Amino acid sequence: MPLNRLLSRRRTMPGFETAAISIVAMLVLIYMGMHIAVALSLISFIGVWIIKGNVDVAMNHLWGAFSKTIDSSVFAVVPLFVLMGNLAGIAGVGRDTYDVAQRLIGRMRGSLAIATVVANAIFAAITGVSVASAAVFAKLSVPEMLRHGYRARFAVGVVAGSSVLGMLIPPSVLMIVYGIISEQSIGDMFIAGIGPGLLLTGAFIAYIVVASYKFPALVYEGGKPPVLDATNRPESDSIRPLWSQVSAVVSLISIVIGGLYTGVFTAIEAAAAGAFAAFVIALCRRSLTWASTLQVVRDSGSITAVVLFLIVGASMYSRMLGVSGLPTQISEWILTVEANFWLLMALYILMVIFLGTLIDSISIMLIMVPIFMVVFKPYDIDLIWFGVVTVMAAEIGLLTPPFGLSAFVVHSALARRDISLKDVFVGSGAFAAVMFVVLLAVVAAPLIATGLVYLKL
């Protein structure tokens, strides 16, 4: 008997049970080390095969996801923003943002830590990728803070904690993914991230100031700030004037964010304009050699391929869930028990944060959003606000063990034997707590996220 006929005669399993088992199986595979996109695709294929009892249907499901999911021009924003970030990194914009931020802080305790947060916020408006910020500022900021008497745990905690701004302050790869999944305007998602991003930046700075003055033992070795901290200035301060450093940052932010907010650019056009501007800056600074250009292209292609493969895998999984009927059954069950909206929202946030201890933010969004969009549909929620809440909850996972991607990136970038991964997690714990408080504020006051969007409209 042909194999395909043999496989097609398998007995079917009820969709709800299959979908429930698939969630557990997927988490097990991911925790065992399988790539999230491979796990999503494999589980989806097997799930449809079991539910329908026909391998041909499962193959069509697989082919449909790969051929139709990313055939829209909207996906062009992913490689363009990634390319812009990589070109900005090659041009030294990351170092410039740190130097500029340090000059603007003035003489106060915790100035280097505050400068790192401000620089991360500025850099986030250029790259849109948290791990890029974590890698850049682990090398730039941590050695400087250690040299000026900061505790190692606090120094790495500042870098890991403030790196999450890269996924909140636009442009954000995570918001692009959410906009695609939820069919919301990517430009509106970007604008909605500005308020929460600035609020979180201010909250991080407030924590650093309070810790520096009230609990110096948490910040400095020996509990006493050295005199050098208050008078520190970057070495490049005497080499180039401030404007030569800040002009590139201001130009990129103005082109991308200004173009989006004023309606001059669509999200794709803003990404293209930003990438071209970053290319011009790199050329003007003579940062592009044949080797560095090739490296930028390779890195951009690699990151883009990973993101798009994740989206394809998630599309397969969403289709499998639709075939199983799980989202509909969950929604019907919620309506039956008349669950309170705030209870559901609390459950959703806790689930997203928990998954953050196991898998990366994009994967969490790709798995959770399709299910809970159906769950929350009867409540007629603002999907832009829901997206910001989801991004913030998922980003907390970047700082939590055992996965904590930003923590791993900081530890790997430093490659120092005297700073362990445990030090990074402990140091970033306070910043994760601050972020959770800001998340609660956004949940309680949606206008923090949607206010600028409404003004634009």
Side-chain angles (χ1 to χ4, degrees):
M1 180 181 293
L3 179 60
N4 63 334
R5 291 181 60 189
L6 177 64
L7 294 174
S8 65
R9 292 189 175 187
R10 295 179 61 87
R11 290 188 301 173
T12 61
M13 179 183 291
F16 183 86
E17 287 83 350
T18 303
I21 293 172
S22 74
I23 294 174
V24 177
M26 182 173 56
L27 291 176
V28 170
L29 290 176
I30 294 170
Y31 200 70
M32 290 174 62
M34 181 177 287
H35 191 282
I36 177 64
V38 176
L40 282 167
S41 303
L42 178 62
I43 292 296
S44 301
F45 175 79
I46 296 174
V48 174
W49 171 21
I50 293 175
I51 293 170
K52 294 297 186 180
N54 191 316
V55 72
D56 292 330
V57 174
M59 288 297 296
N60 290 334
H61 167 82
L62 176 67
W63 171 250
F66 272 93
S67 62
K68 298 178 180 179
T69 299
I70 56 175
D71 63 352
S72 172
S73 60
V74 71
F75 287 93
V77 297
V78 177
L80 288 172
F81 274 131
V82 171
L83 177 61
M84 183 183 76
N86 285 334
L87 286 170
I90 287 291
V93 175
R95 181 177 295 275
D96 285 350
T97 56
Y98 179 74
D99 287 355
V100 170
Q102 171 60 9
R103 296 189 203 185
L104 295 176
I105 297 306
R107 298 171 178 267
M108 63 183 300
R109 290 189 184 183
S111 60
L112 283 176
I114 296 172
T116 300
V117 173
V118 174
N120 252 316
I122 297 172
F123 197 59
I126 301 171
T127 60
V129 182
S130 293
V131 293
S133 297
V136 169
F137 290 101
K139 296 177 181 178
L140 287 178
S141 303
V142 173
E144 283 295 307
M145 283 192 278
L146 294 180
R147 187 166 67 89
H148 287 86
Y150 285 78
R151 293 190 63 187
R153 284 186 174 181
F154 186 82
V156 294
V158 169
V159 172
S162 57
S163 71
V164 300
L165 296 169
M167 285 298 190
L168 192 56
I169 296 177
S172 162
V173 172
L174 203 56
M175 287 188 175
I176 293 171
V177 173
Y178 175 84
I180 293 169
I181 297 173
S182 62
E183 299 181 349
Q184 298 299 302
S185 166
I186 294 175
D188 286 348
M189 285 301 306
F190 284 170
I191 294 170
I194 295 175
L198 294 177
L199 178 60
L200 184 60
T201 302
F204 283 159
I205 292 173
Y207 164 71
I208 292 170
V209 171
V210 171
S212 298
Y213 283 92
K214 299 296 183 180
F215 309 99
L218 294 176
V219 180
Y220 299 101
E221 290 290 350
K224 185 177 181 180
V227 176
L228 285 176
D229 179 69
T231 58
N232 177 71
R233 289 293 182 272
E235 292 180 5
S236 60
D237 191 47
S238 60
I239 300 175
R240 288 188 294 168
L242 178 64
W243 175 246
S244 68
Q245 292 180 287
V246 76
S247 58
V249 177
V250 171
S251 299
L252 287 175
I253 294 175
S254 299
I255 289 171
V256 177
I257 307 302
L260 281 171
Y261 193 79
T262 57
V264 174
F265 294 143
T266 64
I268 298 175
E269 291 167 346
F276 179 74
F279 175 70
V280 172
I281 291 170
L283 282 180
C284 292
R285 293 187 172 186
R286 299 180 180 179
S287 302
L288 286 178
T289 63
W290 285 112
S292 63
T293 302
L294 183 60
Q295 187 62 45
V296 165
V297 172
R298 285 177 176 172
D299 290 345
S300 301
S302 176
I303 295 172
T304 301
V306 170
V307 172
L308 294 183
F309 190 21
L310 280 168
I311 293 173
V312 169
S315 174
M316 289 185 62
Y317 190 70
S318 298
R319 294 184 182 201
M320 189 274 288
L321 290 177
V323 172
S324 72
L326 177 63
T328 303
Q329 293 185 50
I330 291 177
S331 180
E332 290 175 353
W333 173 77
I334 290 172
L335 291 174
T336 301
V337 299
E338 297 182 354
N340 180 276
F341 169 77
W342 295 109
L343 179 62
L344 287 175
M345 182 57 68
L347 176 64
Y348 174 71
I349 290 172
L350 291 176
M351 288 178 66
V352 171
I353 293 175
F354 170 74
L355 287 175
T357 67
L358 303 174
I359 56 179
D360 64 279
S361 301
I362 293 179
S363 304
I364 294 170
M365 184 166 290
L366 294 172
I367 295 169
M368 297 292 288
V369 169
I371 296 176
F372 275 86
M373 278 183 62
V374 177
V375 171
F376 284 114
K377 188 175 182 180
Y379 298 94
D380 194 28
I381 63 172
D382 187 320
L383 290 179
I384 297 293
W385 166 77
F386 182 65
V388 173
V389 170
T390 303
V391 169
M392 294 186 71
E395 286 294 278
I396 292 175
L398 291 180
L399 307 177
T400 52
F403 191 80
L405 184 58
S406 281
F408 276 98
V409 171
V410 170
H411 182 257
S412 299
L414 286 174
R416 292 174 59 123
R417 293 184 178 181
D418 58 331
I419 298 179
S420 66
L421 184 59
K422 178 182 176 181
D423 291 328
V424 183
F425 278 126
V426 172
S428 60
F431 291 88
V434 170
M435 192 172 186
F436 183 73
V437 173
V438 174
L439 169 61
L440 294 180
V442 174
V443 171
L447 281 177
I448 296 174
T450 58
L452 287 176
V453 179
Y454 293 153
L455 287 176
K456 171 178 173 287
L457 297 176

